[in-house]
Amino acid sequence: MKNMMIVMTLLGGSLLPLSAWSQECSDGIEASTPDTQLVDNGDGTIKDTLTGLMWKKCSEGQTGLDCSGDAAGFTLQEALNNVQSLNKSGGFAGYKDWRVPNIKELFSIVEKRCANPAVNVRFFPNTPFSSGVTSYLTSSPVADKFHSTWSVYFSYGDVFDTAAEKQAVRLVR
């Protein structure tokens, strides 16, 4: 894993890492989620033309087309209850079939040439990676660990297993 010094600065009364302001990408590596693969539908959803999946642009808890605010943290059961409630109450952007992604689906939006965050920020703005809830929950269980699921940490796009920890959620359909 790449070593990184996190430099802190005081701005407007908030202590924020400088890395939150600038994504680091390697020009020598081909984009894994290029702009041409993703389509902003203008309604808070992003279509991935390669996988056919539609994503909520914002993490749960964030609002607006710029995904402002903090991502909410959920256990798997809380996330499943949240998405069930969302779908029953009319859904989002006219769709009532949102769900928590599996690990293969969530990993498909990792931008492998970038870090801090390892995602296409043009289409998925304000994806948390350095403070607050920074790992993303999936519905994929870990085979040999009771109550564990696979997760993605968008700082570097790492995949790991976790149990009962509250994590961010980005819904898919």
Side-chain angles (χ1 to χ4, degrees):
M1 181 184 286
K2 175 179 164 184
N3 288 331
M4 172 185 252
M5 182 175 83
I6 297 181
V7 180
M8 303 299 275
T9 186
L10 188 59
L11 176 68
S14 299
L15 199 56
L16 298 171
L18 285 178
S19 59
W21 297 318
S22 97
Q23 181 181 48
E24 302 164 21
C25 296
S26 173
D27 292 334
I29 300 172
E30 186 176 341
S32 57
T33 57
D35 289 354
T36 56
Q37 178 181 319
L38 303 170
V39 177
D40 188 331
N41 297 316
D43 60 359
T45 66
I46 303 297
K47 176 75 173 189
D48 185 325
T49 61
L50 180 65
T51 64
L53 296 170
M54 180 182 286
W55 295 90
K56 281 187 74 179
K57 182 175 190 171
C58 301
S59 306
E60 293 299 285
Q62 294 179 313
T63 59
L65 295 180
D66 64 344
C67 302
S68 61
D70 294 327
F74 297 89
T75 63
L76 179 57
Q77 189 58 57
E78 290 169 342
L80 295 172
N81 292 343
N82 178 66
V83 73
Q84 182 179 31
S85 177
L86 173 76
N87 287 329
K88 281 185 177 181
S89 67
F92 180 78
Y95 300 98
K96 298 179 185 177
D97 59 347
W98 294 98
R99 59 187 172 76
V100 176
N102 65 44
I103 188 60
K104 184 176 179 182
E105 292 167 336
L106 187 58
F107 192 71
S108 76
I109 64 169
V110 168
E111 178 48 65
K112 297 172 186 146
R113 71 183 191 100
C114 297
N116 301 319
V119 71
N120 186 319
V121 295
R122 178 170 171 228
F123 292 92
F124 300 105
N126 296 318
T127 296
F129 66 91
S130 65
S131 63
V133 180
T134 59
S135 59
Y136 278 74
L137 185 66
T138 76
S139 60
S140 297
V142 177
D144 62 346
K145 293 188 179 177
F146 189 65
H147 292 299
S148 289
T149 59
W150 290 107
S151 302
V152 174
Y153 180 57
F154 276 99
S155 180
Y156 294 98
D158 297 330
V159 173
F160 64 96
D161 62 349
T162 187
E165 179 181 314
K166 292 205 180 226
Q167 299 176 71
V169 175
R170 187 178 312 275
L171 298 179
V172 69
R173 61 173 300 277

